[in-house]
Amino acid sequence: MKPTVSASTVKKHIKAASINRVWEIDLFRGVALLLMVTFHLLYDLAEFYHLPLDYQKGLIYYTGKGAATLFILIAGMSSFFSTSNLRRGLKVLLWGFIIYIVTGVVLPGSNIIFGILQFLGTSMILAPLFMGLPSPALTVLGALILLTGRYTGTLTWPHNWLAWLGLIREDFFSVDYYPLFPWFGVFLWGMALGKMFYPSKRSLFPHSPLPFHPLGRSLLFLGRHSLTIYLVHQPVILLLLYLFFLAVK
């Protein structure tokens, strides 16, 4: 006779897994993913279907930047939990280069030079070099990098070989661009937040019912599969838009 497992036991195991993963970080990563998908949907409508949507300023612009900032903060926090930042960083960096190549072939001229994945992969690789610093030092260093990025952003460079640092030629173009200066400062702030709020590497809200709410479960699912969803969401959006506009013609 097979042993039976009660529903309460299953729920306890699910809850323990959620706590061990620090569920609130997954949830905020899911929120960032939703913001990013929203921005890309509006971007695609403007670029490919010529709807009068200005994604370079206003609410749409800040939706995209808000998503990226939240992603970078969470990546910095997550690096504090990881024991394999180098492996994770190389994986994300590789996917960044694959997207660069695929985009260049499918949409010539739509360059993605040091986009968000290339930035995050590089930052994860660099993270172990800063792991020993206390939170105040990470916070100050992050602020200095942000300020340096504001300065380098005003410079014109004779070539684009240092675009990854934020030093670019006047004619530089990339549809997705997150150089180390200033964005690595945000990543370091994420590391500082991780050290400050998660010294025991456990959830701050272990008894919250939110992970079991349908909305909470949905956001957690998105957050735990963010890389996969990021890689496939644009082709899916473009296919759905194509089918929609084909149907309404």
Side-chain angles (χ1 to χ4, degrees):
M1 183 176 180
K2 291 185 179 180
T4 59
V5 179
S6 67
S8 61
T9 302
V10 173
K11 187 173 182 179
K12 285 180 181 178
H13 281 298
I14 295 173
K15 186 172 183 179
S18 296
I19 294 170
N20 289 338
R21 276 192 59 95
V22 186
W23 66 266
E24 59 266 31
I25 292 180
D26 283 330
L27 184 138
F28 279 113
R29 191 184 287 114
V31 171
L33 194 62
L34 277 182
L35 291 174
M36 179 205 65
V37 170
T38 300
F39 172 78
H40 284 159
L41 170 62
L42 298 174
Y43 172 90
D44 291 342
L45 286 169
E47 280 292 308
F48 299 107
Y49 295 94
H50 310 295
L51 268 67
L53 300 169
D54 190 350
Y55 56 83
Q56 296 182 331
K57 62 182 179 182
L59 182 60
I60 299 176
Y61 173 83
Y62 287 109
T63 297
K65 288 304 176 187
T69 302
L70 191 53
F71 263 126
I72 294 169
L73 277 173
I74 292 171
M77 294 175 70
S78 298
S79 70
F80 177 65
F81 294 86
S82 177
T83 57
S84 56
N85 279 300
L86 177 60
R87 180 180 60 80
R88 290 172 61 241
L90 289 173
K91 176 183 177 182
V92 174
L93 188 62
L94 176 62
W95 276 114
F97 281 114
I98 290 174
I99 288 180
Y100 164 74
I101 293 170
V102 171
T103 304
V105 172
V106 176
L107 299 170
S110 298
N111 296 326
I112 298 181
I113 300 173
F114 216 76
I116 188 72
L117 287 186
Q118 293 165 336
F119 164 80
L120 287 175
T122 303
S123 297
M124 291 174 190
I125 292 169
L126 294 174
L129 300 176
F130 301 88
M131 201 63 70
L133 296 178
S135 293
L138 289 169
T139 303
V140 171
L141 183 57
L144 290 175
I145 291 175
L146 283 165
L147 290 173
T148 302
R150 286 179 63 89
Y151 171 70
T152 57
T154 65
L155 300 177
T156 300
W157 214 243
H159 53 74
N160 290 323
W161 293 108
L162 297 177
W164 56 283
L165 288 175
L167 298 170
I168 55 176
R169 204 167 59 189
E170 191 173 0
D171 62 350
F172 176 83
F173 172 74
S174 175
V175 296
D176 186 34
Y177 181 49
Y178 289 87
L180 290 179
F181 292 92
W183 291 99
F184 191 63
V186 179
F187 187 90
L188 290 181
W189 280 358
M191 291 181 66
L193 289 173
K195 285 199 165 192
M196 190 181 307
F197 292 106
Y198 296 98
S200 63
K201 300 185 179 182
R202 290 186 174 274
S203 172
L204 297 177
F205 313 99
H207 305 297
S208 171
L210 188 56
F212 304 103
H213 187 277
L215 176 60
R217 288 202 304 269
S218 300
L219 290 172
L220 288 173
F221 176 83
L222 294 176
R224 290 171 181 171
H225 301 87
S226 57
L227 179 58
T228 301
I229 295 171
Y230 183 90
L231 293 174
V232 303
H233 81 281
Q234 269 289 49
V236 170
I237 289 174
L238 289 172
L239 175 61
L240 292 176
L241 287 178
Y242 172 77
L243 293 174
F244 172 78
F245 282 100
L246 189 65
V248 299
K249 275 186 178 179

